[in-house]
Amino acid sequence: MVAGLPGRVPGNGGIVAIQRITVLGAGTMGRGIAYLGGLSGYETCLYDLTDHILHDAMSLIEATFAKSVEKKKLEASDAHKGVSRIFATSDLEAAVREADLVIEAAPEDPELKKEIYAQIDVLTPGHTILASNTSSISISELAKLVEIPAQFVGMHFFNPPHVMKLVEIVLGDETSAATTAAVREVAERMGKETILVKDSPGFATSRLGVAIGLEAIRMFEEGVASASDIDKAMVLGYNHPMGPLRLTDLVGLDVRLGIAEYLTATLGPRFEPPKLLREMVERNQLGKKTGKGFYDWEP
Ligand code: CAA
C-alpha cells in the first residue's frame, strides 16, 4: 500500500451498476475490450503508459468501428457514438478513480501485474470490481494483492475480441456471487456468451488451446509436415476455423510461450515449451504483430 493513502474498503452497499469501465493496457486485447465497452454503451477509459501507444490504439479502434460499418454489423451513427464513449489517458489515477469496473489487460508477466495492482488498489473507489484478462495466471493469487479479493475476478476475452463469442469468467477462491453476476452482465451486454470456470492453471480454454498449439509446434520442429499442412489437418480434418500454427501467429508466440512456461511450472512437464518456440521468440518472430512467425504477415 502507498504510504499516506487509505486502503480500499468495500464501498456503500458494495458493488453498484456498472457504467464506467477502465481498460488497462492498449495492446491487442485491451483495445479490443475498449472497443466492446464503447460499442455496448459503457463510458470507457483506455489507459496505457504513453500517449503515442494510445494514439495508435485509438486509430485501430476507429478502424474496427469503420470495418464493422462496412461489414454491415453496425450503423454508422452507432459507430460514431461508440467511438465517442472511449476516452484514452496515460494518467493512471485519472483512468481508475471513477471506474466501476477495471479490466487489466497488461502483458502476461506476474511481476508487472503485481506492480499494477499495488498501484490501482489505492486509487480505485471501494465499489470497483477489478478483473484480469489473464489467460493463465491464478486469479486467487492475483486477488491476494488487493484489499478486497471478493471484488476480484478473471474476465478472459479471446482474440479477435470483437468477433469471438466467449468470455471465460474465472472465479478466485474469494470472488463473490455479486462480483460474478456483475461481470457476467457486462460480458452479456457486450454480446458475449460466458462460462464460469474455477481458478485452476490455464482455466478451461488456455489449458486445452495451448496443448494443441505446443504439439503442433513440436510436429513442425520434427518435420512431420509443413506448417500449412499441419494447419490444414485441423481445419479440414476437425473443422477448426484456423489451424494451430496460424492461430499461434495470431495470438503471439510470446504470449503462448508465457502461458506454456506458467503451465509447466504449475501442471508439469507436459506443457514444456518446444525449443523452436523459444528460439523464434528470441528472434522476435512473434507472429502477426511482428510480421513473421510460422507464416509471413503483411503489415
Ligand atoms: N463485429 C461482430 N462480428 C464480426 C465482425 C464485427 N465487427 N466482423 C466479423 N464478425 C463475425 C462474422 O460475421 C463472422 O461470423 P459468422 O461466421 O457467424 O458469420 C465471424 O466474425 C468471422 O468473420 P470473418 O468472416 O470476417 O473472418 P473469418 O471467417 O476469416 O474468421 C477468425 C476469422 C474469426 C479470426 C477465425 O479464423 C477464427 O475464429 N479463428 C480462430 C480464432 C481463435 O481461436 N481465437 C482464440 C485465440 S486464443 C485467445 O485469444 C486466448 C488467449 O488467452 C491467448
Side-chain angles (χ1 to χ4, degrees):
M1 194 184 300
V2 175
L5 284 171
R8 226 159 73 90
V9 286
N12 279 346
I15 294 159
V16 299
I18 288 167
Q19 293 178 335
R20 185 175 169 129
I21 297 177
T22 293
V23 182
L24 302 179
T28 309
M29 297 310 293
R31 61 179 182 258
I33 298 167
Y35 165 90
L36 291 168
L39 177 72
S40 36
Y42 293 103
E43 205 185 317
T44 303
C45 177
L46 180 62
Y47 165 84
D48 210 312
L49 292 174
T50 69
D51 291 336
H52 175 70
I53 297 173
L54 289 167
H55 179 267
D56 288 354
M58 285 307 294
S59 302
L60 288 163
I61 288 172
E62 282 169 26
T64 306
F65 272 110
K67 189 96 191 173
S68 298
V69 173
E70 201 186 296
K71 285 194 154 207
K72 302 203 182 314
K73 298 275 172 199
L74 203 58
E75 293 293 330
S77 58
D78 290 333
H80 181 73
K81 281 187 211 150
V83 175
S84 68
R85 289 189 196 106
I86 305 172
F87 154 79
T89 179
S90 55
D91 177 340
L92 185 61
E93 183 176 358
V96 301
R97 72 180 163 221
E98 287 171 28
D100 302 319
L101 168 66
V102 174
I103 304 176
E104 168 270 311
E108 203 68 344
D109 170 353
E111 289 308 309
L112 174 65
K113 291 195 194 274
K114 241 184 231 180
E115 241 174 70
I116 293 172
Y117 287 117
Q119 288 181 56
I120 63 170
D121 205 30
V122 291
L123 297 174
T124 45
H127 73 271
T128 310
I129 292 176
L130 303 180
S132 177
N133 178 54
T134 178
S135 337
S136 61
I137 299 173
S138 164
I139 293 302
S140 303
E141 288 303 311
L142 290 176
K144 286 183 188 156
L145 304 169
V146 302
E147 287 282 323
I148 317 172
Q151 284 166 219
F152 196 96
V153 66
M155 264 187 111
H156 185 200
F157 290 78
F158 297 84
N159 189 6
H162 65 287
V163 172
M164 301 301 285
K165 280 280 165 215
L166 183 69
V167 173
E168 181 176 42
I169 295 177
V170 185
L171 309 178
D173 295 340
E174 297 193 47
T175 306
S176 71
T179 299
T180 308
V183 295
R184 201 171 196 179
E185 193 182 315
V186 169
E188 284 170 0
R189 194 160 134 193
M190 288 175 170
K192 306 300 181 191
E193 300 259 346
T194 58
I195 55 171
L196 297 184
V197 180
K198 191 176 82 149
D199 185 32
S200 63
F203 318 136
T205 53
S206 299
R207 187 163 165 177
L208 288 168
V210 167
I212 296 177
L214 295 180
E215 203 52 38
I217 298 170
R218 275 190 274 272
M219 286 163 64
F220 179 68
E221 203 173 26
E222 290 165 18
V224 171
S226 66
S228 59
D229 279 356
I230 290 171
D231 279 346
K232 215 171 177 179
M234 295 312 279
V235 173
L236 299 184
Y238 282 74
N239 257 359
H240 286 198
M242 183 184 265
L245 296 174
R246 188 173 288 279
L247 182 58
T248 300
D249 271 8
L250 176 76
V251 169
L253 275 71
D254 52 335
V255 175
R256 278 270 149 109
L257 176 60
I259 301 173
E261 281 174 337
Y262 182 78
L263 293 184
T264 306
T266 49
L267 291 177
R270 66 186 189 275
F271 286 97
E272 189 65 54
K275 192 162 156 258
L276 177 65
L277 178 61
R278 289 190 191 284
E279 287 168 358
M280 289 175 76
V281 170
E282 269 164 33
R283 290 198 294 265
N284 202 38
Q285 293 175 355
L286 306 183
K288 189 175 178 189
K289 62 186 164 192
T290 58
K292 187 153 181 62
F294 294 99
Y295 296 86
D296 290 328
W297 296 83
E298 293 291 320

